[in-house]
Amino acid sequence: MSECWTIICTMFLLSCSAYVSSQPFYSATANLATSWINNDADSRSLTYEDNTTIRTILVKGRETIGFSYACGFYCNGNCETYLFAVFMVLTYRNSAIYNPFPRVVWSANRDNPVRIGATLELTPEGDLVLRDVDGTLAWSTGTSGMSVASLNLTKMGNLVLFDKENSTVWQSFDHPTDALVPGQILASGQNLTASASPTNWTRGGLFSLSMTSNGLVASIQADSPQVYYSNLYTNVSQESNYARYENGSLRLYVTGTNNAYASITFPQASSGQYIKLGHDGHLRVLEWRNRSWTEVSDIFSSDLAESNYPMVCGKYGIYTNGQCSCPSSGSSAPNFKQINERHPNLGCLEVIPLTCDDSRNHSFLDIEDATYFRFMVDIERTNLDSCKEACLKNCSCKAIIFQYDIIRPKEKEYPLSGDCYLPSEIFSFMNTDKNDANSFFRGSSVSIKVQIASNVTSPSREISPIKVEREKSILRLVLGSTTGILCVAVVIGLIVFAFTKKKKAEEAEEDYLGRVPGMLTRFSYEELVTATDNFDKKLGEGGFGSVYKGSLKDNTRIAVKCLDGIGHIKKSFLAEVETLGNIHHVNLVRLVGFCADKSHRLLVYEYMCNASLDRWIYNRRQESALDWNCRRKIILDIAKGLAYLHEECRQKIIHLDIKPQNILLDENYNAKIADFGLSKLIDRDQSHVVTAMRGTPGYLAPEWLSAVITEKVDVYSFGVVVLEILCGRKIFDISLPEEDKHLLSLFEKKGEDGQLLDLIDKCCKDMQSNGRKVLEMMQIAAWCLQSNYVSRPSMSMLIKVIEGVEEFAKDLDYNFLNPQYFVNQIQVVEDVTLLSPSFLSGPR
Ligand SMILES: *[C@@H]1O[C@H](CO)[C@@H](O)[C@H](O)[C@H]1NC(C)=O
Ligand SMILES: *[C@@H]1O[C@H](CO)[C@@H](O)[C@H](O)[C@H]1NC(C)=O
Ligand SMILES: *[C@@H]1O[C@H](CO)[C@@H](O)[C@H](O)[C@H]1NC(C)=O
Ligand SMILES: *[C@@H]1O[C@H](CO)[C@@H](O)[C@H](O)[C@H]1NC(C)=O
Ligand SMILES: *[C@@H]1O[C@H](CO)[C@@H](O)[C@H](O)[C@H]1NC(C)=O
Ligand SMILES: *[C@@H]1O[C@H](CO)[C@@H](O)[C@H](O)[C@H]1NC(C)=O
Ligand SMILES: *[C@@H]1O[C@H](CO)[C@@H](O)[C@H](O)[C@H]1NC(C)=O
Ligand SMILES: *[C@@H]1O[C@H](CO)[C@@H](O)[C@H](O)[C@H]1NC(C)=O
Ligand SMILES: *[C@@H]1O[C@H](CO)[C@@H](O)[C@H](O)[C@H]1NC(C)=O
Ligand SMILES: *[C@@H]1O[C@H](CO)[C@@H](O)[C@H](O)[C@H]1NC(C)=O
Ligand SMILES: *[C@@H]1O[C@H](CO)[C@@H](O)[C@H](O)[C@H]1NC(C)=O
């Protein structure tokens, strides 16, 4: 048994790492005069559960499954704006396998993200140019006229513009962002700059890692950068020093020597790995391990404690034993307040801001036994009072860090003699431990310059805002009216133009649509507007459009699906609708009618009062949890609906998007499949002939890799849905801890450990008490989830097994589970079979 599970596991590892893929066979190179549009309806689009979206342009794949690189448009969940980026992905040959999530290792336009409709162009002159949808230049390599011949993505993840002699004209490695990939060199003068935050990727980040002629230096941006980490060459000063990311270390070299001058070591890469400078100033080595991106090393940690990071407690914050607080004199009127009470680590604000024109009213807030992450000697061998005097005289001085020798630690006497540092910008301070061996010999105190409350309010401040505001509004008025008039004129012109053009097209199509199909009711758009109360109650949103609740004049409740605005609707709409209208099965949602009115395309379905299955199985409430018999019935219903589509229809229909959102429940919890045959109605992809991938990540069978699509892709998705129904959770649940996020991985692990009972929906006692039957059903799911689609059962066979008519074939041939075999299998099949486009679609 355990051996069997190991084999099953290998299979799952493959199938779940391979389960999301785009269409295969991307190239790693592009020629001059090529352009790519960041198009929402593009079949190259892939959106993940967390809304991260990628649109691949080039892929440099590997022969076997492994981490490699792709480049294309990328957005990190908030998809109002996109980057043109190089990302690390798992690949198989020249196609990316889009699980795990891609990791961005370089981007062109992080400060200038672009929107939908933006264009990347490799111009005939050899310039690589990114323009936003309105035509504004977002980024370019500026290589026009430099005899560029091609754009290649190398296997190291370097995006290179080559000339005819194969010499590099431009490469992304020369313009690093915040990450390094194995093999990459950081040359003298180059630097990494951190992002502003984990979600805001602009260069607004404070931290940078620079390679200088003296060595590697990490600093925080300020009027003059403050260094918090350095690894310097001694006795070497050469312009062309460099650091190289090798397997297991970051090494500092001097040009012309083969020996590393210094090595910073970390674990060797066993899979995808990269180094990233975080927004918090940490330099981390990240690796795909245990099925998640894991930090395998924090490179500075051997030199820096947490308190040594400049922003550990934000600006003006004080770090004490892992806690952050604000500087305080203990008086009733505090000088500093927290930026955010709930997040003390965000730092502190001055209650009264320092102003230079009021410098006579400056004073100091003294903090004993405190220091700063950095110390530079600005004034040597002095005492604190002289330092204060110097600081008061210099407006840009914000605080004093005073370090002194403790001669008699027990009885400190002022004035002590020491050195002082007068920084012009303040980040976090830290309390020093009095018992620390270092502070026994050397003491440190901090004096922060503060503004004394003054009753004299500066006249300029009081009056100016109003004045400025008025000037601004006058300016706005003038600007507004001229541009306004221009805009209105242009807009009117455009509308008139578009209207006449559209009208002609509509008239033509209206003629075509005049032929009314038989059985179904044809509704006018106005009728549906009335029926749905002007599309007031939205029931949900599917891949093909939004669905609204409505009721007809005879009070029949309906669900209206608007196909408007989703890609291109085919001319054959009516023919397809007619066919769909002729498909009747108790486990398929019935199409009642449709509307094809001008540009409106709507489908009218019977209303299902218990909504879609996802509302019931992802539900965490006990009282509404479905019991075992109900779940079993639902599984059987889905199987029957699919069997009808696959085997009993006049022409086979592959659904291609089986998921709980597409399974609807009526008042008696009878399950019915929705959205079948729709891919035939809408041609989402006009530019690509064949290989458009359809479906939803998480439910896609691995053979999408090989472009051999049979009805067995539905069987695979069915297996996923069955597992979700039994476990009461999503296939991919980002709210769970990393190791539990992916249900298939977890299924594999629990199977291996013989703990499958743990997976059964905990919200339902009835499910728990039917544990043995649930486990049997899990076996059936595993049967459907096999990587080799040939080995998956047909839907009619599944029905027999679920109903107990037929025995579950326990002596399965497990040979195909060998990963090597799996890989070969794809190659063979791929060479022989061609995907026929009509195969993908609904009936005729
Ligand atoms: C993804 O986007 C959809 C629609 O914009 C939104 O409802 C959903 O909450 C988003 N999911 C996440 C994980 O942000
Ligand atoms: C350029 O490189 C390719 C292989 O990378 C090689 O086949 C070709 O001969 C090279 N061309 C020149 C001019 O060196
Ligand atoms: C770049 O890609 C083109 C097209 O595949 C190839 O012919 C050329 O050799 C590549 N150049 C280099 C230097 O690898
Ligand atoms: C980092 O490099 C960029 C581009 O080379 C340069 O403009 C910037 O000043 C550098 N920053 C630092 C901190 O060295
Ligand atoms: C991202 O950070 C930059 C720099 O800190 C800031 O100017 C910008 O407004 C931020 N963008 C968003 C969307 O928060
Ligand atoms: C430093 O450089 C000088 C002159 O180049 C050389 O004599 C000396 O040995 C070097 N010291 C070390 C520690 O390498
Ligand atoms: C790094 O070295 C280890 C041990 O030699 C090896 O297993 C691994 O494949 C290497 N990784 C890369 C990316 O070369
Ligand atoms: C990965 O899992 C193995 C065993 O499951 C464990 O020993 C190892 O520490 C884990 N590695 C990481 C980086 O979490
Ligand atoms: C004031 O202090 C700043 C840095 O703290 C220093 O660069 C500058 O030279 C000082 N100005 C004077 C007049 O001392
Ligand atoms: C400083 O504050 C005092 C009152 O606290 C005020 O009388 C005086 O004018 C202030 N000095 C300046 C330069 O504003
Ligand atoms: C500031 O003004 C208030 C009344 O407006 C007065 O009570 C207070 O004493 C003044 N403080 C100083 C320092 O002049």
Side-chain angles (χ1 to χ4, degrees), residues 94-110:
N94 267 10
S95 80
I97 301 172
Y98 294 117
N99 177 48
F101 289 174
R103 285 289 171 127
V104 171
V105 292
W106 178 82
S107 62
N109 58 320
R110 58 197 295 215

Side-chain angles (χ1 to χ4, degrees), residues 580-645:
L580 289 186
N582 283 331
I583 297 174
H584 299 289
H585 186 272
V586 61
N587 296 119
L588 299 175
V589 176
R590 195 165 62 87
L591 186 64
V592 180
F594 70 99
C595 160
D597 209 354
K598 302 201 174 67
S599 64
H600 302 293
R601 298 287 178 278
L602 300 96
L603 297 176
V604 179
Y605 287 101
E606 62 175 317
Y607 178 76
M608 302 284 283
C609 67
N610 272 325
S612 54
L613 180 60
D614 54 317
R615 309 222 177 149
W616 294 93
I617 55 174
Y618 304 151
N619 197 333
R620 301 265 127 248
R621 281 178 306 151
Q622 228 161 74
E623 59 270 27
S624 59
L626 304 176
D627 66 17
W628 159 246
N629 275 327
C630 183
R631 292 190 208 208
R632 183 181 166 278
K633 169 80 168 35
I634 288 172
I635 291 171
L636 198 54
D637 283 348
I638 305 170
K640 285 178 176 168
L642 276 177
Y644 182 80
L645 290 175

